[in-house]
Amino acid sequence: MGFFKAFRGNHPETIGGDISQNSAPPPGPPPSHGLAAQEYHHTPPPGPPPEYLPPPGPPPLRKASDEPPPYHDWTVIPDTALLPPPPSIGHDASPGGNANRSDADLAHEWCRTHPLIRPHQPAVVHCDSVSNGNIELIQPREFRGSLSKLGLGCWKGSTVPGGRDACLLGSLPCYFAFSDSPLVTAMKKVIYFEVKVLSYGRGREGDASSIALGWSALPYPTWRMPGWERGSLAVHGDDGRRYVNDTWGGKDFTSTIQAGQTVGLGMEFSIPDTPPDYGSSPAQTPGIKVDVFFTRDGIKESGWSLHEERDSRNDLGVGGLEGQFDLYAAVGLFGGVEFEVNFNRTRWLWKPS
């Protein structure tokens, strides 16, 4: 306590002094008062304000990004007429199919081990034979029936009731990739043949009969109907559906083919109408435009574009049919069928334009 008292006694102005008597402000305004008054009471310069003049030269160009986005009326329904048609929906099975799963598995494995044959330069005699319709039909070992030649390019055949699937193939390709491609000739190429169904026969109760006409690259498993395996397409008479490398149930296309009718199937190869899109890959841009058409009793009934939009999940592609491989006529049969096949254009009901 004595120390503390001594300390206070030595510094009475800070420790023990009377603060109220030692902190009175000096008289008069603070030093900055006069300067602040001068700043807040500024007198404008004499005369009118200077006239505003725009900068010399034209105004800068406005960019599209400077414009506000156009108003979109969501109540207006867009016009879809110019959009491509949606992909056709395929079926899981055909109501008239009679093939079993083991045949399909065997065919898939066979195709895997037998790749498509690369085209080669045809001989002149072969080109002449095709131009004249002088094409024969090759009987596979699965064929059960008879086949005879009626004339140049005209064949008549029949199969036994209850017969299993068999595919007759032309002896020569109707389309030679080396000499018929529009990329080589700069011209359109059309291939076509006709089939007349004379009668359908039934064997045991429940056994059906039908015919299919199509096109195929080789080799092809001849115990399978055309259109079921790679490199082939066909229209089947029992369900009227079209098949393109489709081992399932095909796609709706036309009505069934009846006895007494003459039907034909053609393919047209041409240069695309529009140039390719250079932003797309070569795999997305077909080099040849391919259209398939179907006739009934001499009248072109319907068709489709080979490069139509496809279902990415179920469609297996059109490899082998795009004009890079030779293509052969294919006639599929099962059950009892009596028929005629005609490659001779002078006997066709359909007359090319």
Side-chain angles (χ1 to χ4, degrees):
M1 179 65 74
F3 176 80
F4 182 73
K5 290 180 178 180
F7 187 83
R8 288 184 60 187
N10 292 335
H11 300 279
E13 71 276 8
T14 57
I15 303 298
D18 189 349
I19 298 177
S20 62
Q21 296 177 359
N22 297 328
S23 61
S32 61
H33 180 75
L35 179 60
Q38 294 177 10
E39 291 178 351
Y40 291 129
H41 294 84
H42 173 74
T43 303
E51 181 181 359
Y52 171 76
L53 295 176
L61 296 177
R62 295 178 62 85
K63 297 182 295 184
S65 59
D66 296 334
E67 299 292 338
Y71 172 73
H72 181 78
D73 188 354
W74 294 99
T75 65
V76 177
I77 300 176
D79 182 9
T80 60
L82 299 179
L83 297 178
S88 300
I89 303 301
H91 296 277
D92 293 334
S94 170
N98 67 333
N100 54 50
R101 180 62 181 269
S102 62
D103 285 345
D105 293 341
L106 180 63
H108 298 340
E109 177 61 22
W110 188 91
C111 288
R112 189 185 67 82
T113 57
H114 294 76
L116 296 178
I117 300 172
R118 305 300 303 183
H120 60 277
Q121 182 67 47
V124 174
V125 62
H126 293 158
C127 293
D128 291 342
S129 294
V130 174
S131 297
N132 296 327
N134 188 16
I135 299 174
E136 298 184 359
L137 283 175
I138 307 300
Q139 301 180 45
R141 62 181 182 179
E142 298 84 12
F143 180 77
R144 298 290 183 268
S146 62
L147 188 65
S148 60
K149 189 173 184 177
L150 299 179
L152 182 66
C154 186
W155 296 81
K156 182 177 181 179
S158 62
T159 55
V160 297
R164 300 188 62 180
D165 297 342
C167 184
L168 303 176
L169 294 168
S171 59
L172 291 171
C174 292
Y175 174 87
F176 292 101
F178 249 89
S179 58
D180 292 331
S181 170
L183 300 180
V184 175
T185 65
M187 298 175 60
K188 178 176 65 176
K189 176 65 178 182
V190 177
I191 58 176
Y192 176 82
F193 73 100
E194 287 185 348
V195 172
K196 182 176 183 179
V197 180
L198 301 177
S199 67
Y200 290 123
R202 292 182 176 272
R204 299 182 302 272
E205 183 177 356
D207 285 346
S209 304
S210 190
I211 194 168
L213 59 162
W215 297 97
S216 178
L218 294 188
Y220 191 79
T222 53
W223 66 92
R224 298 284 283 169
M225 298 288 278
W228 282 353
E229 304 299 333
R230 57 97 170 94
S232 68
L233 61 84
V235 175
H236 288 206
D238 58 338
D239 55 17
R241 296 175 182 173
R242 55 183 172 97
Y243 294 75
V244 182
N245 185 14
D246 186 344
T247 192
W248 306 105
K251 297 180 178 180
D252 293 334
F253 179 62
T254 187
S255 59
T256 59
I257 300 174
Q258 303 296 319
Q261 294 180 341
T262 298
V263 291
L265 189 66
M267 296 182 68
E268 181 181 288
F269 303 84
S270 60
I271 297 176
D273 298 330
T274 57
D277 180 4
Y278 293 101
S280 60
S281 66
Q284 297 172 320
T285 305
I288 300 176
K289 179 184 177 184
V290 184
D291 293 302
V292 188
F293 63 94
F294 175 80
T295 69
R296 193 188 301 263
D297 293 330
I299 305 299
K300 187 179 288 189
E301 186 175 272
S302 52
W304 75 92
S305 170
L306 188 69
H307 293 105
E308 66 182 357
E309 185 177 358
R310 297 188 294 273
D311 187 324
S312 60
R313 184 175 64 91
N314 293 325
D315 290 340
L316 301 180
V318 294
L321 298 165
E322 301 171 284
Q324 289 82 26
F325 289 88
D326 296 345
L327 293 176
Y328 296 72
V331 179
L333 303 155
F334 72 84
V337 187
E338 188 178 9
F339 61 94
E340 291 182 1
V341 180
N342 202 337
F343 299 105
N344 190 335
R345 67 178 58 244
T346 63
R347 298 189 179 188
W348 290 343
L349 295 185
W350 176 71
K351 302 303 179 183
S353 56

